[in-house]
Amino acid sequence: PLRSLIEMKKIVFNIVFMIASNLIFSQTSGTNNFDMPIKNGIKYNKNMINPTLSFVQENDPVLNILNQNQWTGFENAPTTTVINFSTKFKENNAFAIGLYQNKFALITNTGVVLNYAKNVRINEEDNFTFGINAAVFKSGLDKTKIIASSTDPLLANFDSNTIISLNPGINYGIGLIDIGFSVKNLAVYN
């Protein structure tokens, strides 16, 4: 009886695991969440990784243009194009605006990222910065890249989606050392 109970628990666990995996990892729509590659992001367009970085250790207005082609030579390889401007205003505020296009196989995301960061000085050397990125983008299939011998009704009726994503972040600075955290896609509205 104990052995059959253990076997039954294993079977139930495997069934629940398979259903949960299917729900988590399957995509029922041709959309992606806001996801910027971070390969060059630490130096360029860093406020898209952590929204506080439009203020932290930035003194001058910054304009960045990035075009990244991953797996060069492969058809439908991931590409990212970003134009981003960030600047401080007043004494303890910063903002940035970025336009981007991210392509991965047949899925294309095109949108704008609005950024705001606020710094609070604790004492002469310590400060706390909080910020938020609001990404508004259109995500869907690039139907010009679909090659089919006949018309697929599922693909013909497939619509793109407009998605809004909120990405908050915080940073604590001690002199020239900064420790920061950010959350990708904390709130996503489709």
Side-chain angles (χ1 to χ4, degrees):
L2 182 61
R3 185 175 180 165
S4 63
L5 183 62
I6 292 172
E7 291 297 319
M8 181 61 100
K9 283 184 179 181
K10 284 182 181 180
I11 292 171
V12 170
F13 174 78
N14 286 333
I15 291 171
V16 170
F17 179 76
M18 289 180 357
I19 292 171
S21 297
N22 192 25
L23 291 174
I24 291 170
F25 296 112
S26 67
Q27 278 201 293
T28 57
S29 66
T31 61
N32 278 343
N33 286 334
F34 175 70
D35 188 24
M36 293 300 299
I38 63 170
K39 190 177 277 186
N40 292 326
I42 299 300
K43 186 169 182 175
Y44 307 107
N45 307 308
K46 60 187 177 180
N47 65 290
M48 290 192 179
I49 297 170
N50 185 331
T52 63
L53 297 179
S54 60
F55 183 89
V56 175
Q57 297 187 9
E58 291 291 339
N59 295 319
D60 298 318
V62 177
L63 174 66
N64 289 311
I65 300 172
L66 169 73
N67 184 24
Q68 177 183 0
N69 294 317
Q70 198 172 357
W71 309 329
T72 304
F74 289 92
E75 191 174 339
N76 296 324
T79 62
T80 302
T81 305
V82 180
I83 300 172
N84 189 35
F85 174 76
S86 64
T87 188
K88 287 184 178 180
F89 68 97
K90 295 189 179 177
E91 186 176 331
N92 290 312
N93 298 292
F95 82 94
I97 184 167
L99 304 172
Y100 78 97
Q101 184 174 56
N102 193 357
K103 294 182 180 183
F104 184 79
L106 298 177
I107 298 175
T108 300
N109 291 346
T110 304
V112 62
V113 179
L114 303 173
N115 167 276
Y116 175 74
K118 173 78 174 167
N119 184 57
V120 177
R121 188 158 299 282
I122 297 170
N123 60 38
E124 183 130 349
E125 288 197 16
D126 298 353
N127 61 56
F128 178 75
T129 309
F130 58 92
I132 190 160
N133 283 345
V136 179
F137 59 97
K138 187 174 185 178
S139 181
L141 291 178
D142 185 356
K143 294 181 183 179
T144 62
K145 293 187 176 184
I146 297 173
I147 301 170
S149 59
S150 63
T151 305
D152 186 347
L154 182 63
L155 294 176
N157 296 327
F158 203 89
D159 293 329
S160 295
N161 295 302
T162 300
I163 299 171
I164 300 170
S165 173
L166 297 177
N167 308 290
I170 59 172
N171 185 78
Y172 187 78
I174 305 168
L176 294 176
I177 298 172
D178 290 293
I179 301 168
F181 298 96
S182 66
V183 178
K184 277 186 175 182
N185 301 310
L186 177 67
V188 178
Y189 176 74
N190 178 359

